[in-house]
Amino acid sequence: RLQESRERLSVCSKLCYAVGGAPYQITGCALGFFLQIYLLDVAQLDPFSASIILFVGRAWDAITDPMVGFFISKTSWTRFGRLMPWIIFSTPFAVISYFLIWFVPDISRGQVMWYLVFYCIFQTLVTCFHVPYSALTMFISREQSERDSATAYRMTVEVLGTVLGTAIQGQIVGKVVTPCIESPLFIGKTNSSVAMEELNTTHDTGSLTDTRNAYMIAAGVIGGLYILCAVILSVGVREKRESSELQSDEPVSFFQGLKLVMNHGAYIKLIAGFLFTSLAFMLLEGNFALFCTYTLGFRNEFQNILLAIMLSATLTIPLWQWFLTRFGKKTAVYIGISSAIPFLIMVAVLDSNLIVTYIVAVAAGISVAAAFLLPWSMLPDVIDDFKLQHPESHGHEAIFFSFYVFFTKFTSGVSLGISTLSLDFAGYQTRGCSQPSEVNFTLKMLVSAVPVGLILLGLLLFKLYPIDEEKRRKNKKALQDLR
């Protein structure tokens, strides 16, 4: 009991730890929702170049996670810890590169390379922040209950970070949004097609400077929050070397550790289940704005609907934390993630109705909260199980977390590719005031039928996940004896 008392974390420490998760979510949300339209309409790149930037940036982002995990495993301990120096030194350079992503250079050639380089640089630097931050869970306490509690704090702040990212970027940029453009078929039928094109061009040019300034202001505000959160994390959290080490630890090489990690059955089964459920929610996230704008016809409401989802998720994370401690994590997975299915079907089947859409948004937020919380709450249990099976191996926490993030980002890239190709085949018109019926049908599939199928497949795979509550208690006791 005395040992458990020493391992307890104060509320202040948990809050300081949780705040460190906000930068990744704030910047990721802003980039995810607004970078594509920024490259097309503000930087005025052609769609092919914009697709190259987005695809290469996402691919590089996924590759950097195991790379950073490798270098972290080779990092020696300092008086600040082994993980904290990565977080401290990457922050200022990450903020600078993030701001330059939202800056339009005054050059006729080389714009594509500008955005590609700074997008990849930022993804590398934010990985140098987020991978060690994720692994920090194992270094703040040896108590499972304390790590789970800190994870719940973190998930609440991270979901709040998505709210902030959406609200800051959306409200600042939304005030100077450019109008949509009528389809070429409509313009071709009018006698004043040249005049209409000139009117659109004049309007866009007149507001383009204001739009660019708005994006840079939003980038500055988000960059300031990034720095503030990093300072709070580094000042308020102490990395404990002894929290993850056992008495019999012997150093093992990175590649030996990687082989051991990838052969650990519980880890593979956990990744497989969350791979499909994550893909489902990312498809919903990536296409929700288009679905609200064109299929439901709520062009001026999608930001508020999105805000309702994120606020609902933020408020219900404490509920899911209580639920998983009371009924177990596997039960929370089945109930929490499957709760989105009837509402996803409802929004696609029923006619366009704003009230129903808000109800679905709130219900979807409850399920999003479970999808946010549970993977990060279950990963430490897998690592504890791994340590019992391989007590001679240590220092591989970053491998577990970095490869989980890698697979998550991989699903994000897959969802982006599937969505873009599907909409392109359906005849999507960039910045159009309306879309063909084929596009609306495709959007319904991307936010309803496909996510439902992926969720069901993911839940089926979770049947194979071996760590239930009884297994967790046995592992906790065995780890205490081993230490």
Side-chain angles (χ1 to χ4, degrees), residues 334-401:
Y334 292 125
I335 295 179
I337 295 179
S338 64
S339 63
I341 292 177
F343 297 97
L344 292 176
I345 296 174
M346 184 187 302
V347 76
V349 173
L350 297 180
D351 293 333
S352 176
N353 186 294
L354 187 58
I355 296 176
V356 172
T357 304
Y358 271 106
I359 294 174
V360 170
V362 172
I366 297 173
S367 190
V368 167
F372 259 80
L373 174 65
L374 290 166
W376 300 109
S377 180
M378 296 168 80
L379 262 177
D381 300 335
V382 172
I383 297 174
D384 286 342
D385 187 66
F386 175 83
K387 287 178 179 178
L388 286 174
Q389 296 185 27
H390 305 280
E392 76 289 348
S393 181
H394 72 92
H396 305 309
E397 293 82 7
I399 299 176
F400 278 97
F401 283 94

Side-chain angles (χ1 to χ4, degrees), residues 36 80 176 213 280 324 329 347 409 420:
Q36 185 174 27
F80 299 106
V176 291
N213 291 337
L324 67 86
K329 296 179 182 180
V347 76
K409 291 177 179 178
T420 305

Side-chain angles (χ1 to χ4, degrees), residues 249-269:
D249 281 342
E250 293 291 338
V252 178
S253 72
F254 173 83
F255 291 104
Q256 286 177 306
L258 179 60
K259 183 178 179 180
L260 290 172
V261 167
M262 289 305 170
N263 286 330
H264 190 57
Y267 182 60
I268 297 301
K269 291 166 185 174

